[in-house]
Amino acid sequence: MEQREEQEFAEYFAARREAVRRMAYMMCGDWHRADDLTQNAFIAVHRRWRKIRDKEALDAYVRRTLTRAVIDDSRRPWRRERAVEELPERSADGVDMDDSVVTRRTLLAGLRMVPPKQRAVLVLRYLEGLDVAGVAEVMKCSEGNVKSQTARGLEALRAALGDSLGDLRSMS
């Protein structure tokens, strides 16, 4: 790669790294895995940097690459985790967390219980703000598939959360 192209990639990486990392975390629920998935997505972009004609579409390309990586990663046998009733980590005694932090943690815990494809659809739709057509494009599937995955994902999320977030019942 030429020096100019390397500089363009470095600028893009610096500008988008944290946003892509957050999206990866929302999809997988683990900061360490999110770092690995983010790195893999940017490696894929770097490999194809010269071939990418439309630099305006880079975010969509990274989103698609990341989504595929999360789904593929979840299929690996060593990544399978067991869901438990209680997490082994506890917050310090007597420390009250802000409601938004509790809500976020509850939501992330619920997302971990949702199957990977449905989780990816929920993250892309509700946390990344993509419409049905945008998610279908990222995941290379039909809009009907996105709608059904969204409905099933929300149902799974509601089941996982139980009554922890009552206001989620109205979300559709």
Side-chain angles (χ1 to χ4, degrees):
M1 221 192 287
E2 295 177 17
Q3 184 67 24
R4 180 185 54 81
E5 291 171 328
E6 283 288 346
Q7 182 62 31
E8 286 176 355
F9 176 79
E11 289 171 5
Y12 177 75
F13 175 77
R16 298 297 299 153
R17 178 184 57 216
E18 285 305 311
V20 173
R21 184 174 177 254
R22 279 191 305 272
M23 183 171 56
Y25 175 72
M26 295 303 286
M27 287 185 183
C28 73
D30 179 327
W31 283 112
H32 299 290
R33 280 180 60 203
D35 288 336
D36 292 343
L37 292 164
T38 300
Q39 180 178 356
N40 290 340
F42 279 114
I43 288 171
V45 170
H46 187 266
R47 283 185 190 142
R48 292 168 185 82
W49 190 259
R50 282 187 155 172
K51 295 178 183 177
I52 298 173
R53 294 180 190 157
D54 185 7
K55 300 294 189 209
E56 299 297 318
L58 279 171
D59 287 345
Y61 182 78
V62 170
R63 234 184 257 117
R64 179 179 297 142
T65 303
L66 181 64
T67 301
R68 287 179 180 166
V70 169
I71 292 169
D72 289 348
D73 193 56
S74 69
R75 292 178 180 154
R76 295 190 175 127
W78 62 84
R79 290 288 188 198
R80 294 193 183 115
E81 299 173 0
R82 288 187 347 213
V84 294
E85 287 293 318
E86 288 187 42
L87 295 174
E89 303 163 5
R90 292 284 183 188
S91 60
D93 291 334
V95 177
D96 289 332
M97 289 189 272
D98 185 46
D99 285 342
S100 64
V101 173
V102 172
T103 301
R104 180 183 211 145
R105 284 190 177 178
T106 304
L107 183 59
L108 289 173
L111 276 172
R112 282 188 216 109
M113 307 280 252
V114 176
K117 284 185 183 176
Q118 294 171 6
R119 183 182 330 134
V121 168
L122 293 177
V123 168
L124 292 170
R125 287 269 336 260
Y126 297 109
L127 301 173
E128 285 296 308
L130 296 180
D131 60 0
V132 172
V135 175
E137 185 180 327
V138 167
M139 295 190 69
K140 293 268 193 207
C141 63
S142 69
E143 291 184 18
N145 190 337
V146 171
K147 291 176 185 177
S148 66
Q149 292 292 323
T150 301
R152 290 182 187 134
L154 286 173
E155 185 178 318
L157 184 59
R158 288 178 186 128
L161 292 175
D163 292 330
S164 346
L165 294 176
D167 58 325
L168 190 65
R169 302 253 179 244
S170 63
M171 188 185 215
S172 287

